[in-house]
Amino acid sequence: MNLDNFPRYPLGHWPTPLEPMKRLQASLNAPSLYIKRDDCTGLATGGSKTRKLEFLVADALKHGADTLLTHGAVQSNHVRQTAAAAARAGLRCEAILENRVSNPPAEYKQSGNVFLDWLLDAKLHEVPGGTAMDEALEALASRLREQGRKPYVISGGGSNPLGSLGYVMCVLELVKQCESMGLKKPHLVLATGSAGTHAGLLAGVHALGLGWPITGVGVRASKEIQEARVHNLANRTLELMGKKPDLPAQKVVADDRFIGPGYGLATETMVEAVKMLARNEGILMDPVYTGKGMAGMIAMIRSGEFFKSDENIIFIHTGGAAALFGYRWVFDQAAA
Ligand SMILES: *Cc1c(COP(=O)(O)O)cnc(C)c1O
């Protein structure tokens, strides 16, 4: 299987490293633990969206676009990565930011990803939480078209079949890396949000017949809703690849026990996980996605029942540490 028929605009450093986490493994008395460093994709502090954007930006250029349009939460990593991709490709970027945190301190709206969006010259439009974001994005696209611009609309998180190919590409990297490191049948663990990362990994593993288990840890939607969304997108991604959309539903797992009060809102286990990774491995997680995904993985390891003792667990580090600067208050509260 290869993805050569799908043009990519080069944005990242590939392959990202696959590294052991020996100290975390020892402190949790865990099976073998590894981390796929997609926080190190090289684009403006990196992250998972770089993989998706290589396909999406190539498509935007093919369609003669002059502007990338997308949406996200205020501290969106996806918006920051899209702004950086636009800068690199010589396109403009406009983004609608949904304010989902009530009464945030100034740093939430000014620091972290928001500061980087500004530096990368994205034009930002803030809207209140609960706004119908896809509709708002279409309305903005129409306004820009009336002005003679040529916007290319990227859905939230870059999670459509074309963007999900980025995580099929990640599976191809992992196959080579696992082979050279002697890792048999790894168990992949990741944070799952707009579903493209999870769907791409499932589509790649299924298309190659690898049989690797994949456990998603939800950050927003309930288990039922997230699993249905991921399943649907994985099958549409398989179709785009010219494969049968026959991924069995039971392969799709999105645990919703670690979301806490809601998307982008802190939990104690997230704060603990972010601190553990920083202090045991010198690796920065983020408060919205990987911190909750890692909290889920840690709880599953502690339960002693979820992973087999001879299993090689690979956590997919999807990035996001830039958001830490917009969420410092959460950790201040935890330290107090
Ligand atoms: C977007 C994002 C995710 C979630 O990936 P989806 O493809 O949206 O499910 C996970 N981690 C980080 C850091 C992200 O920015």
Side-chain angles (χ1 to χ4, degrees):
M1 184 183 78
N2 70 53
L3 301 175
D4 295 348
N5 293 336
F6 298 94
R8 276 163 54 198
Y9 188 85
L11 296 168
H13 302 168
W14 318 116
T16 59
L18 176 63
E19 299 173 335
M21 294 196 287
K22 290 245 161 65
R23 292 198 68 235
L24 186 71
Q25 181 182 323
S27 72
L28 291 167
N29 197 13
S32 297
L33 285 186
Y34 295 83
I35 188 161
K36 175 68 167 161
R37 298 297 302 273
D38 273 12
D39 57 323
C40 301
T41 59
L43 181 68
T45 79
S48 52
K49 305 310 181 303
T50 312
R51 290 193 189 273
K52 300 170 175 180
L53 285 161
E54 287 204 339
F55 292 96
L56 296 168
V57 170
D59 195 47
L61 293 172
K62 190 173 105 189
H63 285 89
D66 60 14
T67 306
L68 300 182
L69 266 195
T70 197
H71 68 71
V74 170
Q75 283 293 337
S76 169
N77 305 302
H78 166 65
V79 168
R80 181 244 313 151
Q81 290 267 279
T82 303
R88 181 80 149 259
L91 301 169
R92 288 201 262 179
C93 177
E94 298 204 17
I96 307 180
L97 300 183
E98 184 186 7
N99 189 5
R100 302 175 75 131
V101 174
S102 55
N103 300 318
E107 61 195 303
Y108 178 78
K109 290 196 171 187
Q110 291 167 6
S111 185
N113 282 310
V114 183
F115 169 62
L116 297 180
D117 293 341
W118 170 82
L119 190 62
L120 295 160
D121 205 18
K123 184 163 180 202
L124 305 176
H125 309 264
E126 197 180 313
V127 296
T131 300
M133 296 302 281
D134 287 332
E135 284 83 346
L137 198 60
E138 280 309 326
L140 177 59
S142 309
R143 285 207 300 281
L144 293 180
R145 279 186 208 107
E146 279 162 21
Q147 295 164 19
R149 302 257 298 274
K150 292 192 181 113
Y152 181 85
V153 174
I154 298 179
S155 52
S159 288
N160 61 15
L162 189 62
S164 300
L165 291 181
Y167 273 85
V168 176
M169 184 182 109
C170 181
V171 172
L172 295 172
E173 279 179 24
L174 282 169
V175 166
K176 282 195 195 152
Q177 289 173 317
C178 288
E179 212 172 79
S180 76
M181 292 167 71
L183 304 188
K184 299 237 158 59
K185 269 209 182 182
H187 187 147
L188 310 183
V189 180
L190 76 151
T192 181
S194 67
T197 307
H198 198 173
L201 291 171
L202 281 163
V205 165
H206 183 67
L208 292 171
L210 297 169
W212 297 353
I214 301 177
T215 298
V217 180
V219 300
R220 179 179 311 183
S222 70
K223 181 175 169 68
E224 292 70 30
I225 289 176
Q226 186 67 8
E227 288 177 352
R229 184 184 290 160
V230 171
H231 189 215
N232 176 285
L233 183 54
N235 273 330
R236 287 192 291 137
T237 306
L238 284 165
E239 265 177 333
L240 180 65
M241 293 157 66
K243 310 275 177 194
K244 271 204 212 113
D246 59 357
L247 176 74
Q250 70 269 20
K251 299 268 183 206
V252 186
V253 178
D255 194 328
D256 62 4
R257 291 175 298 157
F258 303 92
I259 299 169
Y263 174 82
L265 303 176
T267 61
E268 271 177 41
T269 54
M270 176 280 287
V271 171
E272 185 205 12
V274 172
K275 282 165 95 181
M276 271 185 99
L277 266 287
R279 294 170 188 191
N280 284 286
E281 297 290 343
I283 292 176
L284 303 177
M285 300 271 117
D286 81 284
V288 180
Y289 296 97
T290 54
K292 287 185 179 175
M294 183 56 75
M297 190 184 89
I298 289 169
M300 290 171 204
I301 290 169
R302 284 178 175 155
S303 81
E305 289 154 21
F306 189 79
F307 298 108
K308 300 188 198 82
S309 59
D310 61 350
E311 214 161 25
N312 293 304
I313 305 169
I314 299 179
F315 185 83
I316 311 290
H317 192 336
T318 40
L324 283 170
F325 302 99
Y327 273 92
R328 195 178 54 113
W329 46 295
V330 162
F331 295 88
D332 286 351
Q333 282 165 7

